[in-house]
Amino acid sequence: MTSKNTKKGISIGLVVSLAILMIISTIGITGYLYYKEQYRGEAVAYSKQLIKDIQEDSFEYKIAKLYYSEEEIKSIKEDIKIIETTNDEVVENDDGIEIHKIKGTTYQATMMIVKNPEDVIVAVNPTLDSAGAGLSLDEYIELHDGIAGINAGGFEDAGGKGNGGQAWGIVISDGKLVSGNLNDYTSVIGINYDNQLVVKDMSAKQALEWNIRDAVTFGPIFIDQFQVVFESGRHPGLNPRTVIGQREDGAFLFLVIDGRQPVSLGSTYQDIIDIMLDFNAMTAANLDGGNSTVMVYNGETLNSTVSIYGARYLPTAFVVKKGSN
């Protein structure tokens, strides 16, 4: 009797042990797969941002080492700036426009190079500073018989539902101040009559005296005459961005960065500066970003917009007209 009870006890103990082992194995496998998705999942930008933020010798750091070597973790934390574009990521067109696809550790971006600077204008909401809504970027491009464009200056946007009717700061169109006051002092992003990009903190009166034909207000200013003028340390989080720049040969640089998405969290200001320097920008400044960030070429939106309300109404846009090319 004792022998049978002993055998029965051993059998029950074996079953319990196997059950516990299975539970532990299941938990281990589930945990491994969970952390694999976190640290080396399909959302590459999200995973790499987690790696960048973890502290050495922390529990998270030890977990990350299950999926990355020390060298890989180090390279991610050092934030390799830009993955170079390859030939198949560059599209050269016969209309004077070149498209580059760029990838960074936390973002995907599109750079449009407009080789004919005389084709770039600021398009303005016809009912600016009234109750009338602005236009979408597609509508601005169509209105000016254009081929491409990006969003431009900032605007009043209460609750994220702004209608593009009231611009921030000043707006200059065709040499005339169409929004703001002469003494308003702000970051001016403008184009003069020599088709040169001018980025300065100045008043509207000074901008007109500098023969600026088109201008909007936003910022910060990143590069002026090949010099980085942005104040170090002022780096907000990862977000969608729109940026304008110009090379010494006159070509305009339009940059949009996808953000707030699993595959592209967005970029910092330093990321923007690095990209613009890589593309030999002589001048560069930040435009309205976030939900407003958009780039259109030949009727196609080239970036992944994030506005839940669809195409946003804008007060202003940089439009590339169909020139002689």
Side-chain angles (χ1 to χ4, degrees):
M1 191 74 175
T2 302
S3 178
K4 287 182 179 181
N5 288 338
T6 301
K7 289 181 179 179
K8 185 176 180 181
I10 292 173
S11 298
I12 294 173
L14 182 60
V15 170
V16 171
S17 297
L18 288 173
I20 293 173
L21 183 61
M22 288 180 65
I23 292 171
I24 293 173
S25 298
T26 301
I27 293 173
I29 292 171
T30 302
Y32 179 85
L33 294 176
Y34 169 79
Y35 283 111
K36 183 179 180 181
E37 182 61 29
Q38 288 283 300
Y39 289 108
R40 199 143 199 167
E42 294 183 2
V44 177
Y46 174 75
S47 295
K48 290 190 174 181
Q49 187 60 38
L50 287 179
I51 297 296
K52 287 173 63 178
D53 291 340
I54 60 177
Q55 300 295 319
E56 286 192 30
D57 299 326
S58 65
F59 172 76
E60 291 79 8
Y61 188 86
K62 293 175 182 177
I63 292 294
K65 287 175 65 177
L66 294 174
Y67 313 99
Y68 294 90
S69 67
E70 291 276 4
E71 291 74 19
E72 287 176 316
I73 293 176
K74 182 179 179 182
S75 68
I76 293 170
K77 291 181 75 66
E78 288 179 352
D79 193 9
I80 297 174
K81 295 174 183 174
I82 299 175
I83 299 174
E84 294 294 336
T85 55
T86 59
N87 290 335
D88 60 357
E89 290 178 309
V90 180
V91 179
E92 297 186 34
N93 302 297
D94 57 8
D95 51 18
I97 291 177
E98 193 174 290
I99 305 295
H100 294 249
K101 290 296 184 179
I102 306 168
K103 295 179 182 178
T105 54
T106 62
Y107 61 85
Q108 296 178 355
T110 304
M111 173 70 81
M112 177 186 293
I113 301 178
V114 183
K115 297 180 180 179
N116 305 312
E118 65 273 13
D119 295 339
V120 179
I121 65 167
V122 170
V124 179
N125 175 7
T127 59
L128 191 64
D129 293 343
S130 73
L135 305 178
S136 69
L137 180 56
D138 292 281
E139 291 172 323
Y140 280 120
I141 293 172
E142 182 179 0
L143 181 65
H144 292 275
D145 192 26
I147 190 173
I150 55 174
N151 63 292
F155 57 99
E156 297 299 327
D157 190 23
K161 299 180 181 180
N163 69 355
Q166 186 174 356
W168 283 357
I170 68 167
V171 177
I172 295 173
S173 178
D174 198 19
K176 298 178 181 177
L177 182 65
V178 296
S179 182
N181 301 306
L182 284 174
N183 292 324
D184 287 347
Y185 191 88
T186 185
S187 293
V188 174
I189 304 169
I191 304 172
N192 64 22
Y193 281 98
D194 292 323
N195 303 310
Q196 296 171 330
L197 181 65
V198 179
V199 291
K200 298 280 187 184
D201 290 334
M202 65 177 83
S203 68
K205 181 180 179 182
Q206 289 173 316
L208 294 174
E209 290 172 348
W210 279 38
N211 291 318
I212 290 179
R213 63 168 167 86
D214 294 318
V216 298
T217 295
F218 213 73
I221 295 167
F222 296 127
I223 303 169
D224 189 14
Q225 298 303 308
F226 295 108
Q227 299 296 313
V228 176
V229 295
F230 177 72
E231 295 178 16
S232 61
R234 291 177 53 217
H235 295 287
L238 304 174
N239 281 295
R241 311 281 183 191
T242 305
V243 188
I244 187 170
Q246 189 175 40
R247 299 189 314 209
E248 190 173 18
D249 63 1
F252 274 94
L253 305 173
F254 290 169
L255 174 68
V256 291
I257 294 177
D258 293 342
R260 301 174 188 169
Q261 301 166 46
V263 296
S264 185
L265 299 179
S267 76
T268 65
Y269 287 162
Q270 188 60 54
D271 291 327
I272 293 170
I273 293 170
D274 293 335
I275 294 171
M276 282 296 181
L277 290 175
D278 280 352
F279 279 84
N280 301 314
M282 178 176 66
T283 309
N286 195 48
L287 297 171
D288 192 12
N291 291 344
S292 298
T293 290
V294 62
M295 174 185 284
V296 170
Y297 173 63
N298 265 340
E300 179 185 357
T301 301
L302 300 187
N303 66 307
S304 298
T305 58
V306 295
S307 174
I308 62 175
Y309 303 106
R312 301 208 79 193
Y313 296 121
L314 308 168
T316 53
F318 282 99
V319 169
V320 183
K321 298 186 299 181
K322 296 178 182 177
S324 56
N325 299 316

